[in-house]
Amino acid sequence: MNKKVVKKTIIPYVVLAILIFGIIYMYDTFNRKIHYVTYDEFNKFLIEEKIKEVVIVPKSNNSVYEIRGTLEGYKENEFFLLRLPYSGDVIANFIENQNEYGFKLDTANDPGTSIFILFIVNVLPFILFIVIAVIFIGKQMGSANKSMDFGKSRARLNQDNNKITFKQVAGLTEEKEEVAELIDFLKNPKKFQKLGARIPKGVLLVGPPGTGKTLLAKAVAGEANVPFFYISGSEFVELFVGVGASRVRDMFKQAKHNAPCLIFIDEIDAVGRQRGTGLGGGHDEREQTLNQLLTEMDGFGANEGIIIIAATNRPDVLDPALLRPGRFDRQVTVNLPDVVGREEILEVHAKGKIFAEGVKLSNIAKRTVGFSGADLENLLNESALLAVRRGKNAITMSEIDEAHDRVLMGPAKRTHKYTNHEKKVVAYHEAGHAVVGIKLDGANDVQKITIIPRGNAGGYNLMLPKEETYLSTKKQLLETISGLLAGRVSEELVFKEITTGAHNDFEKATKIARAMVTEYGMSSLGPVQFEHQESSIFLGRDYNKSRNFSSQVAYEIDEEVRKIIKEQYEVTKKIISENIDLLNLIAETLLEHETITKEQIDHLVEHGTLPTTEENSKDYNSMTLEELKKSAKERGIKGYTKMNKEELKEKLKN
């Protein structure tokens, strides 16, 4: 345990104990009732035999002694006190004749002869009073300082002993190469100064949430083995104007004392937004903070050893002055990982987890298109939780499949009841997507179909691109639209009616069609870009922005979008009409099994039936006990070592 923590924990109790003892002593002192008597009165008490007890206490200077005693009728803590000049004859007389007097006689040492008791009685109460006063005043002054401590930087210095290095950062090969020279500069700045090179003063990490921007910044600090200050952009902005600017100054002051070092500002868009773009005027506090940040970055020397790394997923709203050379010189885009990157990320997060035989991370990577690093970590964690919940010793593909669906759509609602007709409609809807995905090369490939409700959907169809590409052809986009429209077409052809189940499909199809017309130039309107890629509106900058096309062009855009959707709807209707038998086969299989995978769909198309799994095709009756245990271990069955042969057979069959 930290010694400072121990001191802070014990000291208050020690002070409290001393206070309690002091209060008890003082209470006992003030509660006593003392009767001061003369020597004649004392002799009178002796003659009348009213004395019950006498204690003789010689004082430390041996010139005076005290006689304390109690009389008949005295209450507790009540006694008389007599002070006389010191005389050994008087004490000897009392000792010789005490039996005649009929009271108890005792002697005691003077408390004043003990230095410790003198300190406790006379000095300690004053010391305690002074300490309490100092503590109370100090707290009051500390509270006052804290209340006025707005201008201090909220940046925290990362002193974690478990430093993050590039080994913990997977799937960002090019990004790590881009920031590697920052590490070289922090380790050996003279190598750059020798040739007159200037290292970038700021590096801006841009990318979707969860792609590893913060992790990459920590890895740079860990590799360079330098102090690492980190702060969120929102921690600069306060209610009072000028506080944020003061915090920026204080942060850079601390950084200069710890140079060479890194400063990491997360979500810099909170403080670095374009100036003068607020509705009804600017934001004085944020703009002053940004101005101070710009000044501090531009005011550095050539090589002061301080590098700023910032992260955001909204680079479009940042002020242009923040992105010019001399401030954030370099912009590193941290994209979603590809299949190779996803496999590397899975290998990092798979450490410490136990997987059953047959679980291949490469297969998981292929099925998780569009997942970020955070999504992949969450996927494996959910899989482990499901395995524990099911009482298994290892994570199997069953848990990974379920976790994948839970991450995308939420938990399965197995208790949700819907009519047989609704179940049949959902089955044919999802089967329609599968048929078009099989028959069109450009359509998304169906990886899994289930008619078990998840989230707000009555069924779930996992459709992924057949290949991960950077470019999409017009043919691929049109066939993707056909695959999205297939659910509604199936409902119309089979049931002669339509439902609301295709609303999400229409949303995606319309978005693709509109992008083809307004962004990609894939229509009769020609290669003209009418709209930019959609992003969140930056109020003040985008709210009143006028369209760069006329009302007539807007009408033509709507007509072209409608034309693309209508033509692909007819194409989809023709494909499903020509393959109605395959549609019925997949739908009936779904109604029976509720969930089928891509491998089962492929086998169904080729052979007309679902494949028999390897486990179900085994003859457990002919297997030995050791073979049964081996098979149970592979399937992750918990407690298989304690089961007999019959129990193992029953468990494996189920």
Side-chain angles (χ1 to χ4, degrees):
M1 185 181 290
N2 194 340
K3 291 182 179 179
K4 292 183 179 179
V5 176
V6 173
K7 289 181 179 178
K8 288 182 179 179
T9 306
I10 294 176
I11 289 176
Y13 292 103
V14 173
V15 173
L16 180 62
I18 295 173
L19 281 174
I20 292 173
F21 284 119
I23 291 170
I24 293 173
Y25 175 81
M26 298 298 290
Y27 176 80
D28 183 63
T29 301
F30 289 114
N31 197 39
R32 292 179 181 179
K33 188 174 181 180
I34 304 175
H35 300 278
Y36 293 95
V37 299
T38 63
Y39 186 71
D40 293 336
E41 291 174 331
F42 176 72
N43 285 327
K44 182 180 179 182
F45 295 152
L46 285 175
I47 295 170
E48 296 177 354
E49 297 183 354
K50 292 182 178 181
I51 299 176
K52 294 172 60 179
E53 183 180 1
V54 170
V55 178
I56 300 175
V57 182
K59 303 304 289 183
S60 57
N61 55 11
N62 291 325
S63 61
V64 178
Y65 64 88
E66 291 182 351
I67 299 177
R68 291 180 302 189
T70 58
L71 300 178
E72 294 179 358
Y74 274 14
K75 298 179 181 178
E76 190 176 357
N77 291 332
E78 185 178 2
F79 59 91
F80 66 84
L81 179 64
L82 171 65
R83 288 192 177 94
L84 293 176
Y86 181 79
S87 175
D89 295 339
V90 174
I91 296 175
N93 183 42
F94 273 122
I95 294 173
E96 291 176 359
N97 301 306
Q98 61 176 319
N99 294 330
E100 297 180 3
Y101 297 133
F103 56 81
K104 182 181 178 183
L105 177 65
D106 198 2
T107 59
N109 292 326
D110 181 12
T113 59
S114 172
I115 297 176
F116 177 75
I117 294 176
L118 270 176
F119 176 79
I120 292 292
V121 174
N122 300 316
V123 181
L124 184 60
F126 296 99
I127 293 177
L128 288 176
F129 177 77
I130 294 171
V131 169
I132 293 171
V134 170
I135 293 174
F136 179 76
I137 295 172
K139 285 187 176 181
Q140 293 298 319
M141 294 180 64
S143 300
N145 290 335
K146 288 180 180 179
S147 64
M148 299 302 294
D149 192 20
F150 293 116
K152 294 295 183 181
S153 172
R154 298 295 189 267
R156 295 169 293 280
L157 180 62
N158 186 16
Q159 297 177 331
D160 191 0
N161 294 328
N162 300 321
K163 292 183 178 179
I164 296 174
T165 63
F166 280 164
K167 292 182 180 179
Q168 284 83 35
V169 183
L172 299 176
T173 305
E174 292 79 11
E175 290 81 356
K176 287 189 287 187
E177 292 175 357
E178 190 71 15
V179 299
E181 65 182 19
L182 300 179
I183 300 170
D184 293 338
F185 170 74
L186 291 169
K187 286 183 176 179
N188 187 14
K190 293 183 179 179
K191 181 173 67 175
F192 294 85
Q193 296 171 359
K194 184 178 180 181
L195 297 178
R198 179 183 64 80
I199 203 69
K201 295 180 181 177
V203 178
L204 183 64
L205 303 179
V206 178
T211 50
K213 300 184 290 296
T214 304
L215 186 67
L216 183 61
K218 289 184 177 180
V220 173
E223 290 284 343
N225 194 26
V226 297
F228 177 73
F229 291 91
Y230 60 99
I231 189 172
S232 172
S234 61
E235 293 184 82
F236 288 113
V237 183
E238 279 284 357
L239 174 66
F240 303 103
V241 176
V243 173
S246 177
R247 289 180 179 177
V248 171
R249 288 191 294 270
D250 189 64
M251 180 180 70
F252 280 98
K253 182 180 178 181
Q254 293 181 34
K256 289 175 183 178
H257 287 310
N258 291 276
C261 69
L262 280 175
I263 297 176
F264 177 65
I265 306 175
D266 200 9
E267 305 297 343
I268 194 173
D269 53 277
V271 70
R273 294 195 174 195
Q274 292 185 22
R275 291 165 287 183
T277 53
L279 289 175
H283 189 295
D284 287 342
E285 166 61 0
R286 186 172 63 230
E287 291 180 7
Q288 286 195 21
T289 306
L290 175 59
N291 290 338
Q292 186 63 42
L293 180 62
L294 296 174
T295 303
E296 291 288 346
M297 292 186 69
D298 199 35
F300 282 167
N303 289 286
E304 287 199 18
I306 301 174
I307 297 176
I308 303 175
I309 301 178
T312 181
N313 52 15
R314 293 292 308 278
D316 56 306
V317 304
L318 295 180
D319 194 282
L322 200 61
L323 303 178
R324 75 158 176 82
R327 284 167 181 153
F328 282 104
D329 309 76
R330 185 172 300 177
Q331 183 170 318
V332 179
T333 302
V334 185
N335 284 320
L336 293 171
D338 58 8
V339 63
V340 177
R342 290 195 297 273
E343 186 173 354
E344 293 176 358
I345 294 171
L346 287 170
E347 288 176 355
V348 171
H349 294 303
K351 292 179 180 178
K353 295 181 174 62
I354 302 173
F355 293 92
E357 294 184 15
V359 176
K360 295 183 179 179
L361 298 179
S362 58
N363 293 337
I364 302 174
K366 293 176 183 177
R367 298 177 54 186
T368 50
V369 178
F371 275 49
S372 65
D375 293 330
L376 294 171
E377 190 277 334
N378 187 40
L379 173 68
L380 294 185
N381 185 62
E382 288 288 340
S383 304
L385 293 174
L386 285 170
V388 173
R389 193 180 304 170
R390 294 175 178 179
K392 294 186 177 181
N393 294 324
I395 303 171
T396 66
M397 282 303 300
S398 174
E399 284 74 47
I400 294 173
D401 288 338
E402 175 65 19
H404 182 274
D405 296 343
R406 288 169 69 95
V407 169
L408 290 179
M409 298 290 294
K413 298 180 179 179
R414 299 185 180 276
T415 59
H416 180 73
K417 301 296 182 183
Y418 51 2
T419 65
N420 291 332
H421 177 71
E422 287 179 323
K423 188 175 182 180
K424 191 174 182 180
V425 170
V426 172
Y428 272 92
H429 180 104
E430 304 300 343
H433 291 301
V435 170
V436 175
I438 293 168
K439 296 302 178 180
L440 293 180
D441 294 333
N444 287 341
D445 209 1
V446 177
Q447 299 290 326
K448 182 179 180 180
I449 310 173
T450 179
I451 57 175
I452 300 172
R454 284 184 181 273
N456 295 323
Y460 169 55
N461 197 323
L462 177 61
M463 296 187 295
L464 299 175
K466 291 181 173 63
E467 293 181 357
E468 292 185 56
T469 59
Y470 285 99
L471 298 175
S472 298
T473 64
K474 182 179 180 179
K475 179 175 180 290
Q476 289 174 332
L477 293 174
L478 292 173
E479 291 183 351
T480 300
I481 293 174
S482 294
L484 292 168
L485 298 174
R488 167 59 67 83
V489 172
S490 300
E491 294 177 13
E492 185 179 353
L493 290 177
V494 176
F495 301 100
K496 309 302 180 184
E497 62 179 358
I498 56 178
T499 69
T500 59
H503 72 282
N504 186 250
D505 299 330
F506 293 158
E507 180 184 350
K508 295 177 181 177
T510 305
K511 186 176 180 180
I512 295 173
R514 189 168 188 86
M516 291 175 64
V517 177
T518 61
E519 298 179 34
Y520 308 145
M522 295 180 177
S523 70
S524 60
L525 297 181
V528 180
Q529 188 179 55
F530 298 102
E531 297 175 353
H532 299 285
Q533 288 187 356
E534 293 182 4
S535 61
S536 299
I537 294 177
F538 185 15
L539 293 177
R541 185 193 67 181
D542 301 331
Y543 186 74
N544 292 320
K545 183 180 289 185
S546 60
R547 297 184 305 181
N548 56 357
F549 51 85
S550 65
S551 300
Q552 178 63 29
V553 174
Y555 172 76
E556 293 176 4
I557 290 173
D558 294 339
E559 286 295 315
E560 286 294 323
V561 172
R562 190 179 296 111
K563 179 182 175 183
I564 291 173
I565 297 294
K566 187 176 180 180
E567 288 178 353
Q568 293 311 119
Y569 194 88
E570 294 301 322
V571 170
T572 306
K573 185 180 290 187
K574 181 181 178 183
I575 294 172
I576 293 181
S577 299
E578 293 174 352
N579 297 275
I580 195 69
D581 292 337
L582 179 59
L583 178 71
N584 292 329
L585 177 62
I586 295 176
E588 290 171 2
T589 305
L590 271 174
L591 288 170
E592 181 180 355
H593 297 278
E594 292 188 331
T595 302
I596 54 177
T597 62
K598 182 181 184 302
E599 294 76 13
Q600 292 173 319
I601 294 172
D602 294 340
H603 194 278
L604 193 64
V605 173
E606 186 176 352
H607 301 92
T609 58
L610 289 179
T612 304
T613 62
E614 181 182 353
E615 288 295 334
N616 291 335
S617 63
K618 290 181 179 179
D619 184 8
Y620 294 115
N621 293 324
S622 61
M623 294 173 66
T624 64
L625 180 61
E626 293 300 321
E627 291 174 337
L628 289 170
K629 288 184 177 181
K630 182 179 179 181
S631 182
K633 181 180 179 181
E634 292 173 352
R635 294 183 62 178
I637 297 176
K638 190 175 181 180
Y640 70 91
T641 55
K642 299 179 181 180
M643 296 181 185
N644 56 37
K645 193 171 184 180
E646 295 301 322
E647 290 174 336
L648 283 170
K649 288 180 185 178
E650 188 67 24
K651 204 74 174 175
L652 288 167
K653 288 178 181 179
N654 295 331

